[in-house]
Amino acid sequence: MEVPVYTQIENLKVTIFQAYLFWENIEKNLLNLALRLSMGVREKTDLIVLPEMFNSGFSMNSETLAEEMGGKTMQWMQKMAHQYNCVVTGSLIIKDNENYYNRLVWMEQNGDHKYYDKRHLFGLGDEDRNFSPGKDKLIVELKGWKIRLAVCYDLRFPVWLRNVNEEYDILLLVASWPDKRSAHWRALIPARAIENQSYVIAVNRVGHDGNQVYHGGHSMVIDPYGSTVYYKPEDEDMYTVTINYEELVKIRRQFPFLKDADKFQIE
């Protein structure tokens, strides 16, 4: 394996929004999130990250809540991206060719967008009965950073998230992870950072949903060494963290573990 050649890349400012969500109320969520952003974004940021199904909560009511691509919520995302001159990302329920997807949308300032459909559907919550799984991984680029997108339950599947040949620098995960399994969340996120020698940005929601499932947040940013850059339990929070590229390069050069990884192929 050739030794990677690193170029100078600017640090990245990421705004984490650990939000409270109103159950199955798209209009109310979009209004509230816009208001919170107007009060909470106090500095220039490159990326705003919202939780899983940020416009509705983690609902299986796909037929009622689904929007088409380019619908109300995506228009709202474009407006926010333009207003704050940054990328906005979060997942929502999308209907596409008669299928329903838990779709993580990556919305740029000019309205260009990409998306990742959640691959691992949460069977315990009947997500697999109401949604179709995605098939393709997605790595996007922002200011030279390569960012792998994932959603909630994907966190439990390290083979799917494996960083092959340093193809990504950041693993970005949006979630609606119940508090009763928060110990798993807090263990798996640092594990993904260490084994993939990447930053992990993991954004969860807070509060009870319509099924009285409580979400305790615990959003975090972990560096490639496994150290905590940001961590917030329990309360709604909006925080802008700076991701340092030199630290990533330093760790990968000091501990070049990825070059010894097993080769594999996912079917």
Side-chain angles (χ1 to χ4, degrees):
M1 177 180 174
E2 295 183 1
V3 177
V5 177
Y6 296 100
T7 57
Q8 184 61 38
I9 290 176
E10 293 180 51
N11 291 341
L12 197 68
K13 285 193 171 185
V14 181
T15 299
I16 292 150
F17 191 179
Q18 179 170 280
Y20 175 85
L21 304 177
F22 296 95
W23 185 246
E24 297 186 345
N25 193 329
I26 293 174
E27 192 72 35
K28 191 171 183 178
N29 278 313
L30 297 184
L31 286 171
N32 182 63
L33 292 169
L35 177 63
R36 297 292 189 184
L37 287 168
S38 70
M39 296 187 296
V41 179
R42 296 301 186 189
E43 59 183 297
K44 177 67 178 76
T45 187
D46 300 305
L47 173 63
I48 295 171
V49 187
L50 305 171
E52 179 181 21
M53 292 193 190
F54 67 88
N55 67 341
S56 64
F58 186 65
S59 172
M60 297 302 99
N61 194 2
S62 54
E63 292 187 16
T64 301
L65 295 169
E67 299 181 16
E68 303 282 344
M69 289 295 284
K72 177 192 299 183
T73 299
M74 285 189 64
Q75 291 175 30
W76 178 90
M77 293 179 76
Q78 182 178 351
K79 180 180 178 182
M80 294 299 105
H82 177 75
Q83 180 175 334
Y84 295 102
N85 191 28
C86 69
V87 173
V88 175
T89 192
S91 90
L92 63 151
I93 303 172
I94 291 288
K95 183 179 181 181
D96 194 346
N97 291 324
E98 302 307 314
N99 293 317
Y100 297 97
Y101 297 97
N102 185 346
R103 180 165 289 179
L104 179 55
V105 175
W106 178 266
M107 179 64 70
E108 298 177 7
Q109 298 93 313
N110 61 2
D112 290 345
H113 60 270
K114 302 177 179 67
Y115 63 83
Y116 162 73
D117 292 329
K118 186 177 181 181
R119 177 180 174 94
H120 298 94
L121 302 178
F122 187 56
L124 283 174
D126 289 335
E127 189 178 16
D128 57 334
R129 303 173 100 182
N130 293 278
F131 294 86
S132 297
K135 298 179 181 179
D136 301 317
K137 67 181 180 182
L138 177 64
I139 297 173
V140 296
E141 188 169 313
L142 181 59
K143 294 179 67 175
W145 290 79
K146 295 169 290 183
I147 304 172
R148 173 77 185 269
L149 302 184
V151 181
C152 202
Y153 194 42
D154 287 331
L155 179 64
R156 290 187 180 272
F157 301 91
V159 176
W160 173 242
L161 299 178
R162 189 65 175 164
N163 193 1
V164 179
N165 297 326
E166 297 185 9
E167 62 186 353
Y168 67 81
D169 306 312
I170 298 171
L171 172 61
L172 188 152
L173 182 92
V174 303
S176 186
W177 195 284
D179 194 63
K180 60 185 175 182
R181 289 187 292 279
S182 64
H184 300 182
W185 167 268
R186 297 193 306 273
L188 292 172
I189 292 168
R192 297 296 88 86
I194 294 166
E195 70 196 9
N196 292 301
Q197 291 196 307
S198 75
Y199 285 94
V200 176
I201 299 169
V203 179
N204 197 20
R205 63 158 294 180
V206 291
H208 289 89
D209 66 17
N211 297 314
Q212 294 306 303
V213 174
Y214 178 67
H215 304 79
H218 303 281
S219 296
M220 64 180 82
V221 177
I222 305 296
D223 76 11
Y225 195 70
S227 301
T228 301
V229 179
Y230 164 83
Y231 173 65
K232 181 67 175 179
E234 302 304 332
D235 300 320
E236 184 174 75
D237 191 44
M238 190 181 305
Y239 186 81
T240 299
V241 62
T242 299
I243 307 297
N244 187 287
Y245 192 75
E246 287 186 3
E247 187 66 18
L248 171 72
V249 173
K250 176 184 173 183
I251 291 169
R252 286 179 173 176
R253 283 178 172 164
Q254 189 174 3
F255 306 105
F257 302 141
L258 290 179
K259 72 180 182 62
D260 299 322
D262 298 309
K263 297 185 184 302
F264 65 91
Q265 185 174 351
I266 297 177
E267 298 180 355

